[in-house]
Amino acid sequence: MADLERASFSNIEQQSIDFVIHSLRPWLIRWEQTISWKLFSESERKKFFAEHLIEGLLRGDSSARAAFYKEMFNMGAYSQMISWRKK
């Protein structure tokens, strides 16, 4: 259990994502619901909500991100920005 003796960057990265999804996210959802219930009136709940932003923790592994960016670049969704400076 949790023996990281032969761990690589890739499986540590995946382990971190799994931790966020399976351990943190259920608690964060509960806290968001409790915050909304205890802090906002019923009319305020129609306008406001509590949310933890965890997208940065769920970016995916490096190879998946590289493949995504390559595909977006190839189809023209992303482009390279060239900076021209006067010297």
Side-chain angles (χ1 to χ4, degrees):
M1 295 290 224
D3 180 18
L4 300 176
E5 185 175 327
R6 297 180 188 263
S8 67
F9 177 75
S10 180
N11 54 8
I12 292 294
E13 195 171 34
Q14 188 59 48
Q15 186 177 26
S16 297
I17 292 168
D18 288 343
F19 173 73
V20 171
I21 291 171
H22 300 294
S23 297
L24 284 182
R25 192 165 181 270
W27 283 102
L28 296 175
I29 290 170
R30 288 181 188 110
W31 290 339
E32 291 166 355
Q33 292 170 344
T34 302
I35 289 168
S36 292
W37 173 58
K38 290 189 175 187
L39 294 182
F40 301 135
S41 67
E42 194 155 334
S43 63
E44 289 175 324
R45 282 185 220 130
K46 295 177 182 174
K47 293 188 268 183
F48 305 110
F49 61 93
E51 180 181 26
H52 291 92
L53 302 177
I54 59 171
E55 287 81 16
L57 300 173
L58 298 172
R59 286 189 181 145
D61 60 37
S62 303
S63 58
R65 278 198 319 270
F68 170 77
Y69 289 131
K70 181 179 178 181
E71 183 64 29
M72 292 294 111
F73 179 75
N74 288 339
M75 64 188 254
Y78 292 155
S79 64
Q80 291 180 344
M81 300 285 297
I82 299 175
S83 174
W84 300 97
R85 290 190 252 169
K86 292 183 179 180
K87 291 185 180 186

